[in-house]
Amino acid sequence: MTAAITPGSWEAIQSAVDCALTGVELVESGERSAFALCRPPGHHAAPDLMGGYCYINNAAIAAEAFIRNGHKKVAILDIDYHHGNGTQSIFYNRNDVLFVSIHGDPDYDYPHYLGFADETGDGEGAGFNLNLPLPQEKTDWSLYGPALETALAKIREFGADVLVISLGMDTYENDPISYFKLNRDNYAQIGSMLGKLGLPTLFVFEGGYAVDDLGHNTVAVLDGFKSA
Ligand SMILES: [Zn+2]
């Protein structure tokens, strides 16, 4: 997967970062949650790497902004179908930002070289990175739900004071480039489970390619969150 650059790219890239930072401001001003509809997405972007349609890591910048605003423990949960290799790379040596990702097995799926379960953080960051890869074509709610429970337990144990969700919607059963089998009811359930954490939450939009259903599925997550 590439990340091409055209004359309008930088304007879009910078506006996506600004959108995420506006979301941070809304949460800091007391909103329970905010949704940053960022395009392009960001979770494959590392400090020295772009790829997978990502240039600048919107979710990572948002997490860092929360830290600079005085938060002590920021959790990032990445539920895009693909591992958030960029976000992991940025925080791999840190213990103030926990990174948790549920994604397709990188033996078969992009980004291929990161996202394995034995990547748990390094140095001060040891133990603050949790990867939950799931089998490519077999993953429906029966596997996804328990993985999400494991992710949420890790976030509770960490004692996060704010939550950033890298909200990728390419786990959908009809997504044209991915292989999980989640449906709209599952998205409402995901939203509800996230809401029950009771944390101030910023949703940052990542992938999602079933464009006819993308809006409805995203709203299902956000509605589930609101009603939790
Ligand atoms: Zn993705």
Side-chain angles (χ1 to χ4, degrees):
M1 256 192 271
T2 57
I5 292 182
T6 64
S9 294
W10 178 248
E11 192 180 350
I13 293 161
Q14 191 166 39
S15 70
V17 174
D18 289 343
C19 183
L21 288 172
T22 300
V24 170
E25 279 177 29
L26 288 167
V27 171
E28 297 291 34
S29 70
E31 296 286 346
R32 182 186 173 216
S33 64
F35 169 58
L37 207 175
C38 297
R39 280 291 176 265
H43 73 148
H44 296 306
D48 58 352
L49 175 91
M50 62 188 200
Y53 326 134
C54 298
Y55 303 84
I56 301 247
N57 196 315
N58 308 307
I61 285 176
E64 179 65 21
F66 280 122
I67 291 287
R68 293 186 187 193
N69 286 343
H71 287 273
K72 301 291 183 223
K73 293 189 173 204
V74 180
I76 303 174
L77 173 61
D78 189 321
I79 55 173
D80 188 276
Y81 177 79
H82 304 95
H83 177 249
N85 56 302
T87 317
Q88 170 173 309
S89 300
I90 289 167
F91 297 111
Y92 204 62
N93 295 290
R94 287 173 55 169
N95 58 16
D96 55 347
V97 178
L98 170 73
F99 179 68
V100 181
S101 181
I102 306 170
H103 49 269
D105 184 344
D107 268 338
Y108 302 95
D109 282 299
Y110 188 89
H112 301 292
Y113 73 102
L114 282 182
F116 298 95
D118 62 355
E119 297 156 12
T120 56
D122 202 13
E124 285 186 359
F128 295 90
N129 194 88
L130 176 62
N131 285 327
L132 299 165
L134 295 174
Q136 195 181 48
E137 305 215 9
K138 296 190 202 109
T139 295
D140 58 10
W141 187 252
S142 70
L143 290 180
Y144 198 93
L148 184 56
E149 291 284 9
T150 301
L152 299 180
K154 179 75 176 176
I155 291 166
R156 283 194 198 93
E157 175 199 311
F158 173 63
D161 54 23
V162 67
L163 178 64
V164 175
I165 306 289
S166 266
L167 184 63
M169 304 302 298
D170 44 4
T171 50
Y172 183 46
E173 57 189 348
N174 296 326
D175 191 277
I177 70 164
S178 306
Y179 301 93
F180 284 179
K181 306 272 181 262
L182 301 192
N183 59 39
R184 197 159 299 156
D185 289 344
N186 299 148
Y187 288 123
Q189 210 160 348
I190 289 171
S192 170
M193 290 166 75
L194 297 176
K196 289 195 173 84
L197 278 177
L199 291 167
T201 300
L202 173 63
F203 294 89
V204 178
F205 211 33
E206 303 287 1
Y209 308 97
V211 290
D212 289 343
D213 292 313
L214 185 57
H216 297 292
N217 290 341
T218 305
V219 168
V221 174
L222 300 176
D223 275 347
F225 182 91
K226 269 173 64 182
S227 59

